[in-house]
Each structure stands twice: as C-alpha cells, then as structure tokens.
Amino acid sequence: MSEARLESVTPEAAPAFPPGIAYMNGRFMPMEDAKISVLDWGFLRSDATYDVVHVWKGRFFRLDKHLDRFIRSVEKIRLALPVSREELTRILAECVERSGHEDAYVEMIVTRGVSPTFSRDPRDAVNKLICFAIPFGWILRPEEREDGLHIAISDITRIPPHSVDPTVKNYHWLDLVMGMYEAYERGARTALLKDDEGHVTEGPGFNIFAVKEGKVTTPDRGVLEGITRQTAIDLCGELGFPLSEEPVSADALRMADEVFATSTAGGIMPVTTLDGQPVASGKAGPVTRQLIDLYWKKHDEPGWSVSVEEVLRQAV
Ligand code: PLP
C-alpha cells in the first residue's frame, strides 16, 4: 500500500456515521457508540440474523410481518431473543422516536454473541440483541425511478438453500457483494444471482418479479421471503393481476414485458435493463407503475402501517 493510500485511512478521514440511535446492552446510545466485540460470532462467522423494517412519515410499514419473520429466523438458527416481542417492539419505536427521524431504516439483529472462554462451541456464546434507527436508505431513489434499475445477471451462483436457508435473513452476502463488483464492471448498477439450475433468485437486498402478457411471476424458492415481495403479491391480488410463485429462468426475465424488484429499502422498483439490454421498451411498465402507486398509498393506511407514537402509547 502506498503512503498516500495509508494516509487516507487515518481516523480523521474515516466516514462519519449516519445520525441515529442504537440500543444494545440494555441501553440507548448514539449510533457512533454502538460497538460490538471483535470476538462476537456475528462478526467472526456471520453468525446472526436480522430484519429491517422502515418508518415512513412517522409510521412503521408492516411491522408485524417483520417481527414475525425475525422471530421465526431467530428460532430457526437456534438463537434466543433476549427480550419479549412486546419489549422488542417498544425498543424499535423508542430508537425511532429518540432519533427524531420521520423516515427511518430500522434494523434489529441477534448475534450468536461472545463466548466468555472463546470456546468453539456456539452453545457457550451469549446471544446479543442490537437495534438501531438511521435515516431511510434507498436502493433506487424516487427521482431515479424513471431511469430504473440496471441489472447484470451474475455468473456467480447464489448460496444454495440446502446450505444456508435463505428464508432466514442473514449476512452471508459474499456471493451478492462479489456479484455487485461484477455488475459495476459490466456497467450495471446491481446484480441478480441464479441458482445452480439457472433460475434467477434474488439480488443484494431485493426480490425480483417478471410480468408477461399480464401475468406476474416471482421465484418460489432459493430466496428470502421478502416483506415487500409479499406486499407486491398482496397488491397484485387487490389489483386483479394474476400471479404465480414459480421457477423463473433468466431467459424468461429477459423476454418479459416488465421486470421489477422489491425491497424494504426502496419499495417496488422498475428494472429497465438486464445485461445492458432494455426490458421491452426500457421504461417502467403499467403494471409496475400501478403497484408502485398503491404501495406508497398503503403507507398511510391502518392495517398496513402504524404510527411510532401509537406503538409507544400501547407499550406503556
Ligand atoms: N433478498 C435479500 C437477500 C435481502 O437481503 C432482502 C432485504 O434486505 C430482500 C430480498 C428483500 O426483503 P424485504 O422486502 O423484506 O426488504
């Protein structure tokens, strides 16, 4: 490493933390004070599960669904949530309230934790809960929606579901991150990975959908059961679009009339090119546009969203 390069990693040059509030070790703290031990299995082995819910204009969107998935994930990988569901709900709301963010990205994590003797037995580790609220982050900002997502279909195979269960939201992201670098080299913005049978799976932080002749399809296996994916499925039902969860080949995606991606970090996002080739006309299609409109409308509706204030009121 050259000297200039070394200089550039001095603490002064380190990026600032996004403003926010975290909760760990039983107390709330500014984001920059939320630190874990390097001996935490979460850090050393990616041994953790997490979930991300967003708050939009002071309201959590589909909070119960995120909590259900998180608690299921914790149980599936033999962790224990150190607080009750009700306490967790209050902690998340309090992180948001204390942060002052109206639009927030709210993460909850349980790591395997540290084992006091550094034993190699995961049962000796003390599981750790970490929550935080920082400003809302976008995969695709609203002003970029017209341009849409440019995706490269990666040559890297997604970790198979019989190795790491993708329905447990996890930090096994090296395949996805390497896919992103590959995508940048190919002039795309992000990547989509296939399984070992050549079906498309998911990308870094999003699920994928195709629309062909009015019918909507999304991969039925090898993916995180995204809450936004489920929301898109629910909204297709409301709008009367036929939908099927089934294997989707890369070719089917390339031949689609519309392609869109779904994520808590950005909602429903038009995909306008695949491997540099336009999807149909290369513009967001009518099905995608209707879904995006309805998705954001639901953010004010009770039943789909709940205000942070209301959550805190119910907690006392
Ligand atoms: N797939 C992966 C691998 C993810 O990490 C995520 C979200 O981070 C998603 C899909 C989308 O899930 P959700 O809609 O719940 O944000």
Side-chain angles (χ1 to χ4, degrees):
M1 196 185 270
S2 74
E3 262 181 40
R5 190 98 177 86
L6 271 176
E7 258 168 41
S8 73
V9 289
T10 55
E12 295 80 51
F17 287 88
I21 294 293
Y23 172 94
M24 61 191 291
N25 305 329
R27 61 184 190 88
F28 295 92
M29 61 193 76
M31 214 45 226
E32 60 265 32
D33 294 341
K35 294 173 179 152
I36 62 158
S37 166
V38 292
L39 296 181
D40 193 304
W41 285 66
F43 172 68
L44 290 176
R45 315 249 189 269
S46 301
D47 186 350
T49 187
Y50 74 111
D51 217 287
V52 178
V53 56
H54 71 233
V55 166
W56 189 250
K57 298 195 174 125
R59 297 176 74 84
F60 281 105
F61 189 60
R62 308 208 97 175
L63 177 59
D64 277 338
K65 293 210 177 297
H66 286 278
L67 291 171
D68 289 346
R69 182 176 66 182
F70 183 54
I71 290 166
R72 251 189 340 259
S73 294
V74 166
E75 286 167 359
K76 275 191 189 167
I77 61 167
R78 296 162 176 257
L79 291 164
L81 186 62
V83 296
S84 67
R85 181 185 174 114
E86 290 69 33
E87 282 170 305
L88 174 63
T89 309
R90 185 192 51 79
I91 290 166
L92 295 172
E94 217 172 315
C95 283
V96 179
E97 196 207 26
R98 286 169 180 254
S99 76
H101 298 315
E102 278 286 289
D103 305 324
Y105 178 103
V106 186
E107 182 151 343
M108 60 206 97
I109 309 164
V110 177
T111 73
R112 188 77 55 196
V114 175
S115 78
T117 57
F118 197 49
S119 95
R120 302 187 73 84
D121 184 337
R123 293 170 302 183
D124 293 337
V126 181
N127 298 173
K128 192 174 198 68
L129 171 70
I130 304 165
C131 302
F132 61 84
I134 55 174
F136 189 90
W138 300 88
I139 292 182
L140 185 75
R141 304 186 69 80
E143 61 272 23
E144 298 169 319
R145 243 179 238 148
E146 275 308 307
D147 186 33
L149 273 179
H150 303 282
I151 287 185
I153 301 179
S154 177
D155 292 328
I156 299 167
T157 304
R158 182 77 175 117
I159 298 173
H162 42 268
S163 297
V164 174
D165 180 351
T167 68
V168 174
K169 197 164 158 70
N170 65 67
Y171 291 129
H172 294 267
W173 264 51
L174 263 187
D175 52 351
L176 296 169
V177 173
M178 292 302 105
M180 286 165 96
Y181 276 97
E182 188 193 0
Y184 303 149
E185 276 154 20
R186 288 161 55 182
R189 176 167 179 150
T190 190
L192 179 66
L193 271 57
K194 290 179 288 189
D195 64 17
D196 48 17
E197 290 173 12
H199 297 119
V200 295
T201 60
E202 59 191 345
F206 62 85
N207 292 107
I208 198 85
F209 286 73
V211 185
K212 183 76 182 170
E213 289 157 9
K215 185 183 162 199
V216 185
T217 51
T218 192
D220 61 339
R221 65 194 72 173
V223 297
L224 177 72
E225 290 161 347
I227 305 301
T228 325
R229 172 184 183 274
Q230 185 57 50
T231 301
I233 292 171
D234 296 343
L235 298 181
C236 281
E238 241 183 84
L239 291 166
F241 301 141
L243 179 136
S244 151
E245 296 173 55
E246 60 184 45
V248 178
S249 70
D251 278 346
L253 208 66
R254 289 193 187 97
M255 310 283 285
D257 301 327
E258 298 179 40
V259 174
F260 62 87
T262 59
S263 172
T264 295
I268 298 174
M269 302 167 281
V271 176
T272 48
T273 70
L274 288 169
D275 294 332
Q277 296 302 309
V279 176
S281 66
K283 295 207 165 59
V287 170
T288 309
R289 285 179 197 274
Q290 285 180 71
L291 287 170
I292 292 172
D293 281 353
L294 194 52
Y295 173 80
W296 288 104
K297 277 195 192 123
K298 295 292 183 192
H299 281 66
D300 304 323
E301 272 187 32
W304 291 76
S305 66
V306 59
S307 75
V308 174
E309 265 173 25
E310 176 67 23
V311 172
L312 287 171
R313 232 187 349 260
Q314 281 176 6
V316 286

